[in-house]
Amino acid sequence: MISYAQNFEDVLLFRALKHIDKGFYIDVGAQHPVIDSVSLAFYERGWRGIHIEPVSHYARLLREHRPDETVLEVAIAANAGVRKFFEIPDTGLSTLDLEIAQQHQHAGFSAREITVATLPLSSVFDSLNVPHVHWLKIDVEGAEAEVLQSWAPSTVRPWIVVVESTWPNRPDSNHDRWEPILFGFGYVFAFFDGLNRFYVHESCLELKAALSVPANVFDHFQLAETSSLTKCRDVELRLRHQLADLEKAHSSQLSSVLERESSLRAQNAELLSRVQLQEEEITKLRAENARRVEDLEAARTQLAAMTSELAQEKAYRQSIIDDVRLRATESQRQLQLALEHIQQLSQELKEAQTRFSALEDSHNELHNRAQAMQEQLQDALSTERKLRENIHLELAESKRVIDSLRAEELSLRSELIKREQEIEALSEQLARIRGSLFGRWLWSIVARRT
């Protein structure tokens, strides 16, 4: 025989019922008339039956392929009427159960809510005009309990009942929810094929032995070209060919990658050589930078010596001023000597100013040298930064030292300005002293003449 069913259900049913000529069946949840059809193998042998399918697309296909059979475009439910139905397009997963439909949506399927007519199973049985129903298949995606509950009060008892007994798209069994109903109708369990449970009515227990083992080689059947299993095998063969092609392509790409790797290694060796040369140049620049830092330290030492000398000069000036103040308090009798001494002090002050100007020129020269050394250091740092960014921290340290020198230079300039202001103040005070002494001398001369 040719098997069209999804899980060889038709093979098992035919094994038990092959002695029946042109029997009758009822397929609840028939779906497609060919693909994964349980009834098509029997239809080809002259059997006829009733197909119950609420999805209009599949109901239309059933009518086109089985024009001499009854197709009920309804869902089996507890009562006749209308119900919300959740269609999962292009699949056999459509269901009356909202929760199951939502689970399919979460798994990536699309669900469309529609309204369908409903009938109880008892109404279908009551409409029959045949002596026997040889097999009944129920595949309703989670609504099995409601379908079986709608069986009563009909007394029709199909010989064999096949019920899909796992949760949709899962291997977990759900038969404990509805199996007692079948037991109450006089059925006994015969076989579980991993997807469906087969039951035989107590009036036909001789059929149970034929359902004791799964479909096998001794059933002498072939898979239809439309079977899902056949399609899976074709897909497997195509995938194997694609895998072989991919392995060839991978081998070719691997060779190319190895060649590229060899080339990259050569380039890497050349780059390492260049880096080594650059590191040697960086070492030289570091040594030059260290020498320049030493020069800066020497300049700072010299600047400190100049600062000390300026402090001594300030102390010397202060001593001269103190001496002038002491001499200014002498009596008028020593005015001439005081004037001569003031002239001498003026001369010394000029010399001090000359020395101060020389020191200031020397300070400016040192400042210019420091500025020139700073510019050279900046050039060296710029060159070193281009060669190796890894010495950035050392350049930052050098910059910090230069900033420190600048701060010290500003401090020295401020000190020099203060000292210049003090010298100017002393000069003004000396001028006032000289004016005061000259006035007193003139006054004493006038007084004597008077």
Side-chain angles (χ1 to χ4, degrees), residues 35-99:
I35 299 174
D36 294 337
S37 173
V38 177
S39 64
L40 181 56
F42 292 89
Y43 181 81
E44 292 176 341
R45 285 168 172 75
W47 287 52
R48 295 295 180 267
I50 295 176
H51 302 281
I52 300 173
E53 176 53 55
V55 178
S56 58
H57 169 68
Y58 292 120
R60 184 175 64 255
L61 289 176
L62 285 164
R63 294 188 187 100
E64 292 174 356
H65 285 79
R66 312 281 183 89
D68 52 348
E69 289 190 306
T70 300
V71 178
L72 299 179
E73 191 173 333
V74 298
I76 299 300
N79 300 300
V82 293
R83 285 273 293 275
K84 290 181 179 180
F85 187 79
F86 303 96
E87 181 182 356
I88 315 296
D90 302 321
T91 72
L93 303 175
S94 301
T95 180
L96 284 167
D97 193 314
L98 172 60
E99 183 178 353

Side-chain angles (χ1 to χ4, degrees), residues 196-245:
N196 308 280
R197 293 175 73 85
F198 290 73
Y199 300 87
V200 177
H201 192 258
E202 58 190 10
S203 63
C204 308
L205 290 180
E206 69 276 6
L207 302 177
K208 184 178 177 181
L211 299 173
S212 60
V213 295
N216 56 75
V217 66
F218 297 109
D219 289 308
H220 306 292
F221 69 94
Q222 297 179 359
L223 288 175
E225 294 181 356
T226 57
S227 170
S228 298
L229 293 174
T230 302
K231 293 180 179 179
C232 288
R233 289 175 182 174
D234 293 340
V235 170
E236 180 182 1
L237 289 175
R238 288 198 300 271
L239 289 176
R240 286 182 178 177
H241 290 308
Q242 291 176 4
L243 181 60
D245 294 339

Side-chain angles (χ1 to χ4, degrees), residues 275 278-279 282 285-286 381-396:
V275 169
Q278 290 178 355
E279 287 180 347
I282 288 171
L285 287 173
R286 285 181 177 176
L381 292 175
S382 176
T383 303
E384 183 176 356
R385 188 182 301 109
K386 293 178 182 178
L387 294 173
R388 188 77 172 189
E389 292 182 358
N390 294 338
I391 61 172
H392 177 72
L393 294 176
E394 295 180 7
L395 296 179

Side-chain angles (χ1 to χ4, degrees), residues 34 40 62 66-67 88 121 171 174 188 202 216 223 247 280 290 301 333 350 367 379 416:
V34 178
L40 181 56
L62 285 164
R66 312 281 183 89
I88 315 296
L121 189 58
N174 64 1
V188 295
E202 58 190 10
N216 56 75
L223 288 175
E247 287 178 348
E280 291 176 356
T301 302
R333 291 181 299 101
K350 290 180 181 180
H367 173 70
D379 293 338
L416 287 174

Side-chain angles (χ1 to χ4, degrees), residues 3-10 31 34-38 92-93 137 139 141 164 169 193 195-196 223 226-230:
S3 175
Y4 298 92
Q6 179 183 17
N7 206 39
F8 313 122
E9 297 93 336
D10 52 358
Q31 203 201 11
V34 178
I35 299 174
D36 294 337
S37 173
V38 177
L93 303 175
K137 187 213 80 175
D139 180 1
E141 302 299 317
E164 186 175 275
N169 278 354
D193 65 0
L195 177 64
N196 308 280
L223 288 175
T226 57
S227 170
S228 298
L229 293 174
T230 302

